[in-house]
Amino acid sequence: MHMLKRPRRNRKSVAIRDMVAETKLSVSDFMFPLFLLEGKSQKTEVTSMPGIYRFTTDLMLKEIEECMKLGIRSFDIFPVVSEIHKDKTASKSYETDFFYNQSLAKIKNEFPEACIMTDVAMDPYSIDGHDGLVDEDGNILNDETLEILGSMALAQAETGIDIIGPSDMMDGRVEYIRDILDENGFEETSIMSYTAKYASAFYGPFRDALDSAPKFGDKKTYQMNPANQREAIIEADLDEEEGADFLMVKPALAYLDVIKLLKDNYDLPIAAYNVSGEYSMVKAAGQMGWLDAEKAMMESLLSIKRAGAKVILTYFAKEAAQLMKA
Ligand code: PBG
């Protein structure tokens, strides 16, 4: 049959397919989220995230070393805070001698060339399990929370880490944190703002990992409504004005349109958080033999990059890096 255009010609061999590939994943795109335990010589698997462990500092140092050998240089570290340390005001979060801040300093000291990001939000340290301060009526207070977030960010910056990651979704937090960092001589500490963070069911396994689920209600008065795309522009405008260095979309896979929207409208690097539930779904289906988990993993990561994310926070980082090295 006579046809001028046959798109299949550009798919006829591996060589041609690779040559015309528009998107290529690189290990340097990845940031690996890690869960930090208090204490020594402990490593426990997160039941709802097969292959993902919580580590005490000594073992986390080993894990980071292994990852660095695979080419992963960026890590986002979250603390597992035991119930006895939790209170209304998340006071442990800004104590310099709390194990999280102490460990961050050790990690950064051991691996000065690694890029270490920390999380700023009250939930792991709060008895209410919310990202902000809760009043008697159960309202999440915005401006009062900023003071706590500011102290938390400063305590983390003092450990020498590279990037502060405000994941709390309070209004005005990027500027508030930027000001405190600058006033204290931390002009070089970056901020990766959780710009468009949606109130998502896909955070479930993460809350298991940290035991940080809200004790009442949900996070819908601060995290965004999954129905909204244009609202992401409002958040991104603010973060850009307030001095963010990266704009993040979270979750990633159910929000590829939002990643693309920010990529098309902003010049700052776009990050996407391929969250816990997105990891667990692939793993669970793989374990059931319902899909090829390795292929689904690589396709998911590629789609996040294709949508416009340069930085991909993903629990698949190590596994994907191993595969990409092979
Ligand atoms: C805390 C925080 C959450 C995640 C990252 N930081 C949970 C939440 O907001 O409830 C989710 C990460 C994931 O699911 O992998 N503010």
Side-chain angles (χ1 to χ4, degrees):
M1 222 209 293
H2 177 68
M3 259 186 261
L4 283 177
K5 299 189 178 182
R6 288 184 182 267
R8 287 185 56 191
R9 282 195 289 261
N10 281 348
R11 299 179 204 136
K12 72 183 165 198
S13 69
V14 179
I16 291 182
R17 287 196 295 274
D18 282 354
M19 187 165 62
V20 302
E22 297 169 43
T23 312
K24 197 164 188 292
L25 280 171
S26 158
V27 178
S28 57
D29 303 331
F30 299 152
M31 183 178 265
F32 192 18
L34 295 171
F35 302 127
L36 183 73
L37 281 176
E38 190 172 10
K40 266 184 82 170
S41 324
Q42 272 195 67
K43 172 180 170 181
T44 60
E45 192 171 26
V46 181
T47 315
S48 50
M49 301 177 75
I52 294 297
Y53 298 84
R54 312 172 186 88
F55 300 96
T56 50
T57 313
D58 49 339
L59 299 184
M60 186 171 287
L61 289 170
K62 293 214 171 80
E63 176 71 0
I64 292 177
E65 191 179 357
E66 268 181 42
C67 290
M68 299 274 282
K69 284 189 186 136
L70 291 166
I72 302 165
R73 283 168 298 179
S74 299
F75 304 88
D76 186 8
I77 301 176
F78 295 91
V80 182
V81 180
S82 61
E83 211 58 30
I84 48 158
H85 291 319
K86 299 185 185 185
D87 59 20
K88 284 296 277 187
T89 57
S91 59
K92 290 293 173 195
S93 68
Y94 45 87
E95 268 181 25
T96 332
D97 53 7
F98 191 54
F99 85 94
Y100 179 56
N101 293 322
Q102 293 282 320
S103 300
L104 292 170
K106 273 190 208 132
I107 290 165
K108 192 57 202 173
N109 192 45
E110 193 99 0
F111 301 104
E113 70 282 27
C115 168
I116 306 293
M117 179 157 118
T118 54
D119 197 65
V120 169
M122 287 175 62
D123 53 336
Y125 315 89
S126 150
I127 36 167
D128 299 308
H130 276 284
D131 295 20
L133 204 56
V134 182
D135 74 8
E136 307 89 76
D137 304 321
N139 300 309
I140 314 297
L141 304 172
N142 193 88
D143 301 13
E144 293 80 349
T145 298
L146 293 184
E147 288 179 36
I148 296 169
L149 300 178
S151 309
M152 193 184 307
L154 181 58
Q156 293 173 1
E158 283 168 347
T159 70
I161 56 90
D162 304 271
I163 306 180
I164 296 283
S167 70
D168 54 281
M169 290 305 276
M170 296 300 122
D171 292 334
R173 84 251 209 234
V174 172
E175 184 173 4
Y176 194 91
I177 292 169
R178 186 72 270 158
D179 283 348
I180 290 198
L181 293 177
D182 289 359
E183 281 161 20
N184 288 278
F186 293 101
E187 293 90 353
E188 293 296 318
T189 310
S190 316
I191 298 179
M192 183 185 289
S193 180
Y194 285 63
T195 298
K197 177 172 180 178
Y198 288 88
S200 172
F202 292 104
Y203 307 149
F206 173 97
R207 294 177 188 169
D208 291 344
L210 296 195
D211 190 20
S212 64
K215 300 277 165 60
F216 65 89
D218 53 42
K219 299 193 176 184
K220 289 181 186 170
T221 67
Y222 46 107
Q223 298 180 348
M224 286 172 55
N225 183 346
N228 298 347
Q229 193 190 59
R230 302 202 54 78
E231 200 178 337
I233 299 267
I234 298 177
E235 291 286 357
D237 280 346
L238 287 169
D239 285 352
E240 192 180 48
E241 283 164 27
E242 293 180 30
D245 301 287
F246 301 80
L247 304 177
M248 189 209 288
V249 175
K250 177 185 178 184
L253 292 174
Y255 299 86
L256 294 175
D257 57 324
V258 182
I259 296 175
K260 170 95 170 94
L261 181 72
L262 295 199
K263 168 72 177 170
D264 289 345
N265 289 286
Y266 297 88
D267 296 327
L268 288 169
I270 306 300
Y273 199 140
N274 180 209
V275 299
S276 56
E278 297 177 323
Y279 172 88
S280 302
M281 283 195 298
V282 171
K283 284 288 172 186
Q287 285 182 348
M288 292 298 285
W290 290 347
L291 51 67
D292 181 328
E294 238 170 42
K295 291 203 174 92
M297 160 179 82
M298 294 314 286
E299 188 178 329
S300 302
L301 295 171
L302 189 69
S303 72
I304 295 167
K305 186 154 185 192
R306 190 192 64 233
K310 180 57 188 71
V311 180
I312 305 173
L313 291 96
T314 180
Y315 301 96
F316 287 123
K318 193 175 178 191
E319 205 182 330
Q322 277 160 340
L323 207 67
M324 287 156 76
K325 200 163 191 175

